[in-house]
């Protein structure tokens, strides 16, 4: 996952330092605000870092456009939750099967 390195780079910290902050319960969105940056831009940067590789790997693996679009929408929802609510929340949403694209709320939060 590129979320940690991408966010750390934009925040000007090491991935290890960011991981420690996240382990303490911080969120990328809160840390982004604390650094005077825009959490929406951070979210989009993390999404962009992830999606291109996922799409390329899915194409190589033989998935069709519909399958790729569904997976990318779920990935976007996971990343948005990860950035705004934390890794535990994103993982819980994934594990519960509720990690689906729900539309504008997700985009507005990002």
């Amino acid at each position: 996952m590129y979320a940690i390195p991408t966010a750390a780079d934009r925040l000007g910290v090491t991935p290890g330092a960011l991981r420690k902050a996240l382990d303490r319960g911080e969120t990328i969105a809160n840390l982004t605000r604390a650094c005077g940056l825009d959490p929406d831009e951070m979210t989009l940067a993390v999404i962009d870092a992830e999606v291109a590789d996922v799409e390329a790997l899915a194409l190589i693996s033989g998935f069709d456009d519909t399958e790729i679009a569904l997976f990318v929408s779920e990935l976007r929802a996971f990343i948005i939750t990860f950035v705004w609510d934390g890794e535990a929340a994103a993982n819980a949403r994934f594990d519960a099967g509720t990690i689906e694209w729900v539309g504008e709320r997700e985009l507005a939060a990002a």
Side-chain angles (χ1 to χ4, degrees), residues 5-47:
T6 300
D9 182 60
R10 293 179 73 91
L11 293 170
V13 300
T14 66
L18 177 55
R19 171 52 65 197
K20 286 180 183 178
L22 297 177
D23 289 346
R24 289 191 311 267
E26 297 286 350
T27 66
I28 292 173
N30 287 339
L31 294 168
T32 301
R33 274 194 226 81
C35 289
L37 302 172
D38 184 347
D40 291 337
E41 290 179 16
M42 174 67 80
T43 304
L44 293 174
V46 173
I47 288 169

Side-chain angles (χ1 to χ4, degrees), residues 38-81:
D38 184 347
D40 291 337
E41 290 179 16
M42 174 67 80
T43 304
L44 293 174
V46 173
I47 288 169
D48 289 346
E50 294 283 345
V51 169
D53 280 352
V54 167
E55 287 177 329
L57 289 171
L59 281 172
I60 291 167
S61 298
F63 291 96
D64 67 34
D65 290 343
T66 302
E67 293 168 321
I68 293 170
L70 176 62
F71 183 69
V72 166
S73 72
E74 291 171 347
L75 177 62
R76 289 175 60 92
F78 180 89
I79 291 169
I80 291 166
T81 303

